[in-house]
Amino acid sequence: MSNGAGFSSAATNGSLMGSNGAGGGAGGASLVVGGTCAGPDKKGGVVTAIPERETWTRQMDFIMSCVGFAVGLGNVWRFPYLCYKNGGGVFLIPYLLFIFVGGIPIFFLEIALGQFMKAGSINVWNIAPLFKGLGYASMVIVFFCNTYYIMVLAWGFYYLIKSFNSTLPWSSCDNPWNTLANVSISGNHTCADLVDGRSPIIEFWENKVLNISSGLDEPGQMNWELMLCLMAVWVLVYFCVWKGVKSTGKIVYFTATFPYVVLIILLVRGVTLPGAYDGIMYYIKPDWSKLEEVWIDAGTQIFFSYAIGLGALTALGSYNRFNNDCYKDAFVLALINSGTSFFAGFVVFSILGFMAAEQGVDISQVAESGPGLAFIAYPKAVSLMPVAPLWAALFFFMLLLLGLDSQFVGVEGFVTGILDLFPGKYYHRYRREIAVAICCLLCFIIDLSMVTQGGMYVFQLFDYYSASGMTLLWQAFWECIVVAWVYGADRFMDDVARMIGYRPFPWMKWCWSFITPCVCMGIFLFHLVNYKPLTYNNMYVYPWWGEVIGWCLALSSMLCIPVSLLYKLFRAKGTFREVSERITPTHSIRQERNKGNGQS
């Protein structure tokens, strides 16, 4: 069994290098010296010392990083709304089922794969080189996610700054961006009630924050305040990631735990407000008539909230000790993730119940999901509370932290995959810092299109297509197929047993081989058949060329798998049997890797 050292996957040139021991190399013997690897080059000289792969200082660093990445905004603004919309407690039946047939199996597969191969999201697929396109697909998806997801943080940071005022700017109608003047919200009334006008919360969001234009074809001017917020958040992300997992593992202790403190504070405040009980009952009261309608929403939510298919979980797992019990970790993290979603629902609906009671309307008229909850419904609720700026600041600070750790772990996953592509001869002392800087700068340049007047339309294109349910389901389907049927489910179970000291329950193998691929493909086909063109606020319909751009974003990741497969087949020489034997992993290759790394 392993002594906990772990091992690196086969590098591009075919070399194998142990983390804490000698390994065979293409250029000759190599030696680990003081945490670095050095060896002779082809001319007999000594190459630059290459540090061994980092590992987490403590295993809790890994747990907190996974919590920070997987537990994000979707747990707070998507799950509670879906639960209410789909029959309250009834929604939990298919949700729990999909956790065990889809969420946990793929979550565990990605972490275990990274831990076994000691590589990021691209090089882990050296186990099945023909399907290395899976790694490139996950890199494309996580790059798009890193690009557009941070806009939510920029908006949240903007609202956080505006919360530090004695009067919240979205609670009055006498601002330059309002269509009304000299009217304030009080009691059960809104500006829209007092005069035939729009809600000041919506006007602040659309006229001030977004300054939204009439369509995608009118980008308009840049919002300089929002651009500065975007820049500040990117700088923060950079300094969270630039030194690697040694620093990231410490930062997530705050960014992953403090939102729970804020959620508890908001829950205590929420349940003491009038109307909170009615709101919570709307959230959990079972509506059995909707049991037949909730399955697709439940399955899609699992793949969203578990951050599956992005490659970041693989990168995080690659920094584990080789004998870490990732099987147990997968269940613990699943419990934390889904538990947070359920708990957040009580916070959200206690506040929405209060808002419905204050306005004298049914809760269905105030229930929102996504940005509508974060930047319209909740700001409206806090504007009705005593000491409104305090509760607004707490909420948006929590929103910022929830998104921040998801963002910088996503960047970490992308950078890890990129750096793993370059062998030791390209090693540079500051290559990580440079790679992170280039990644952040490139994403920031693309993000400038989202801080214009037409930026919301660009944001929705990325959100709806680039990392949509279809792309994630397609990715998850092929991950299961490749591991179970190309590499071999039994072989991978043996590899996991070699790491953790025992074989996981056969249910995992059954899921990878049959159940999970069927679930993924079934939901994928449902989304494809029921596809609807993208709209904004159910009013603005995107032009045909906007949809073309959206489908290009989606296909840029989905086509990586078949294109890469065909490319490798056409480039290979020999008969199909000879080619398949060379590019499909065999038991002897695995034995050679284990032998070279001191595994028994």
Side-chain angles (χ1 to χ4, degrees):
M1 293 301 294
S2 167
N3 62 0
F7 55 88
S8 301
S9 64
T12 308
N13 62 3
S15 64
L16 293 167
M17 178 67 67
S19 290
N20 287 325
S30 56
L31 177 67
V32 177
V33 183
T36 63
C37 301
D41 62 12
K42 292 181 179 180
K43 297 181 180 180
V46 179
V47 298
T48 305
I50 305 169
E52 62 178 282
R53 191 175 190 85
E54 287 184 291
T55 56
W56 301 104
T57 305
R58 290 181 293 273
Q59 195 52 34
M60 186 55 68
D61 295 357
F62 165 71
I63 296 293
M64 298 307 296
S65 294
C66 286
V67 169
F69 181 63
V71 177
L73 300 173
N75 299 76
V76 174
W77 74 17
R78 181 174 167 83
F79 175 87
Y81 176 78
L82 287 178
C83 196
Y84 152 74
K85 171 191 168 187
N86 290 292
V90 170
F91 181 73
L92 297 178
I93 297 174
Y95 180 81
L96 290 172
L97 179 63
F98 280 120
I99 286 176
F100 289 100
V101 302
I104 293 178
I106 304 181
F107 195 90
F108 171 54
L109 183 150
E110 292 192 358
I111 292 174
L113 198 57
Q115 182 173 314
F116 179 71
M117 293 294 290
K118 288 294 178 196
S121 57
I122 297 179
N123 279 354
V124 292
W125 296 107
N126 285 336
I127 66 167
L130 189 61
F131 292 91
K132 206 167 182 178
L134 267 168
Y136 296 112
S138 66
M139 292 289 283
V140 172
I141 296 173
V142 79
F143 177 77
F144 286 148
C145 277
N146 292 339
T147 300
Y148 83 87
Y149 186 84
I150 201 167
M151 281 307 304
V152 181
L153 307 188
W155 295 330
F157 189 47
Y158 185 84
Y159 270 81
L160 177 63
I161 294 172
K162 294 297 183 180
S163 297
F164 293 102
N165 289 290
S166 57
T167 302
L168 295 175
W170 56 81
S171 65
S172 63
C173 305
D174 55 356
N175 303 291
W177 57 83
N178 293 125
T179 54
L180 303 176
N182 303 319
V183 183
S184 298
I185 299 177
S186 61
N188 295 331
H189 300 286
T190 66
C191 298
D193 294 329
L194 299 172
V195 184
D196 186 18
R198 300 175 69 205
S199 166
I201 292 92
I202 296 177
E203 289 197 333
F204 179 79
W205 170 240
E206 293 190 347
N207 298 349
K208 175 62 176 172
V209 181
L210 302 179
N211 194 16
I212 195 165
S213 66
S214 59
L216 183 63
D217 55 343
E218 294 184 23
Q221 298 177 343
M222 190 173 293
N223 185 330
W224 294 100
E225 289 183 325
L226 202 56
M227 190 202 73
L228 291 175
C229 290
L230 177 66
M231 184 184 298
V233 176
W234 267 123
V235 170
L236 193 59
V237 169
Y238 175 79
F239 285 108
C240 287
V241 178
W242 71 322
K243 289 299 183 182
V245 296
K246 297 294 185 183
S247 60
T248 304
K250 305 299 181 292
I251 296 169
V252 291
Y253 277 90
F254 176 71
T255 58
T257 57
F258 190 76
Y260 289 95
V261 176
V262 179
L263 280 173
I264 292 171
I265 294 172
L266 292 175
L267 177 64
V268 172
R269 175 55 179 157
V271 297
T272 60
L273 295 169
Y277 176 79
D278 294 331
I280 291 173
M281 291 309 296
Y282 263 94
Y283 170 53
I284 62 174
K285 185 179 179 181
D287 183 356
W288 297 101
S289 64
K290 294 186 177 181
L291 184 59
E292 297 180 359
E293 308 169 8
V294 303
W295 297 87
I296 298 300
D297 276 347
T300 305
Q301 173 61 14
I302 288 296
F303 288 94
F304 270 120
S305 65
Y306 277 56
I308 289 167
L310 301 176
L313 294 174
T314 305
L316 294 178
S318 72
Y319 297 115
N320 278 335
R321 292 174 294 105
F322 182 73
N323 62 353
N324 171 63
D325 193 345
C326 53
Y327 182 60
K328 179 187 69 177
D329 290 346
F331 283 91
V332 171
L333 291 166
L335 178 63
I336 294 173
N337 192 320
S338 298
T340 302
S341 298
F342 188 62
F343 174 72
F346 289 93
V347 179
V348 170
F349 273 85
S350 63
I351 302 296
L352 294 181
F354 159 72
M355 187 167 70
E358 284 292 294
Q359 297 178 350
V361 297
D362 189 83
I363 196 170
S364 61
Q365 297 182 34
V366 297
E368 296 273 0
S369 68
L373 172 67
F375 303 115
I376 296 177
Y378 201 90
K380 190 172 186 177
V382 297
S383 66
L384 301 172
M385 295 182 188
V387 202
L390 171 64
W391 302 111
L394 267 178
F395 176 78
F396 288 112
F397 186 55
M398 177 195 70
L399 200 73
L400 187 63
L401 292 181
L402 277 174
L404 185 62
D405 45 18
S406 297
Q407 179 71 27
F408 68 66
V409 173
V411 172
E412 173 68 45
F414 180 79
V415 171
T416 297
I418 293 294
L419 293 181
D420 282 351
L421 288 177
F422 296 95
K425 64 180 180 180
Y426 294 106
Y427 174 75
H428 184 279
R429 182 179 177 183
Y430 298 108
R431 70 172 191 161
R432 161 170 279 277
E433 290 86 342
I434 294 171
V436 174
I438 292 174
C439 173
C440 293
L441 181 61
L442 182 59
C443 290
F444 174 75
I445 292 172
I446 298 174
D447 285 333
L448 292 179
S449 65
M450 301 184 199
V451 294
T452 61
Q453 289 177 277
M456 187 59 175
Y457 303 110
V458 179
F459 172 85
Q460 278 206 322
L461 272 181
F462 274 82
D463 184 44
Y464 194 73
Y465 290 100
S466 67
S468 65
M470 284 195 296
T471 57
L472 297 179
L473 289 163
W474 177 259
Q475 182 77 2
F477 169 80
W478 282 108
E479 285 182 4
C480 292
I481 293 297
V482 171
V483 169
W485 296 101
V486 179
Y487 184 72
D490 286 318
R491 178 185 296 172
F492 191 62
M493 290 286 277
D494 291 341
D495 295 334
V496 171
R498 183 172 293 105
M499 290 191 296
I500 66 177
Y502 60 93
R503 284 180 71 88
F505 188 66
W507 173 257
M508 288 295 173
K509 183 180 70 174
W510 303 335
C511 285
W512 297 333
S513 302
F514 305 105
I515 303 173
T516 306
C518 291
V519 169
C520 291
M521 188 50 61
I523 302 176
F524 174 84
L525 292 175
F526 179 88
H527 279 292
L528 198 60
V529 170
N530 292 277
Y531 168 76
K532 295 179 181 178
L534 179 60
T535 62
Y536 177 72
N537 275 352
N538 295 319
M539 295 175 61
Y540 172 75
V541 179
Y542 278 65
W544 67 267
W545 54 269
E547 283 196 69
V548 170
I549 294 173
W551 276 108
C552 286
L553 292 173
L555 293 175
S556 63
S557 63
M558 296 172 68
L559 290 179
C560 283
I561 302 167
V563 168
S564 175
L565 187 150
L566 293 174
Y567 174 79
K568 287 181 179 292
L569 286 177
F570 281 121
R571 292 275 295 179
K573 296 180 181 179
T575 65
F576 183 79
R577 177 179 291 276
E578 291 171 341
V579 171
S580 64
E581 287 177 353
R582 285 201 302 269
I583 60 181
T584 302
T586 63
H587 188 67
S588 60
I589 292 176
R590 190 189 65 190
Q591 285 182 321
E592 180 182 348
R593 181 187 297 129
N594 293 340
K595 182 179 179 180
N597 289 277
Q599 305 300 324
S600 59

